[in-house]
Amino acid sequence: MILITQILVFILIILSTILIVGIPVTLASPGEWEKSKNLIYTSVGIWTGLIVITGIVNSFIA
């Protein structure tokens, strides 16, 4: 169970890093928001889901 939590946290860190770089670049680029809007919303939804799933899995460890 600890390995699953570590994998979830690792994926969360990678996705967070991608979003921290990707969202400002997308917003600063002219015309990119309209093209990438659905991808960003989907990524943020996955990120939120990972937060919830990681919290639930972590509650079983303690």
Side-chain angles (χ1 to χ4, degrees), residues 24-44:
V25 168
T26 301
L27 292 174
S29 302
E32 285 295 316
W33 172 247
E34 290 79 19
K35 295 177 188 174
S36 303
K37 182 171 38 175
N38 290 333
L39 179 63
I40 289 175
Y41 285 148
T42 303
S43 299
V44 170

Side-chain angles (χ1 to χ4, degrees), residues 10-25:
F10 179 73
I11 294 170
L12 186 61
I13 290 170
I14 296 298
L15 184 58
S16 296
T17 305
I18 291 169
L19 289 174
I20 286 172
V21 172
I23 290 176
V25 168

Side-chain angles (χ1 to χ4, degrees), residues 1-17 47 50-51 53-55 57-58 61:
M1 192 62 95
I2 294 175
L3 181 63
I4 294 171
T5 304
Q6 289 175 345
I7 291 170
L8 286 170
V9 170
F10 179 73
I11 294 170
L12 186 61
I13 290 170
I14 296 298
L15 184 58
S16 296
T17 305
W47 183 84
L50 274 171
I51 293 288
I53 292 170
T54 303
V57 170
N58 192 33
I61 293 176

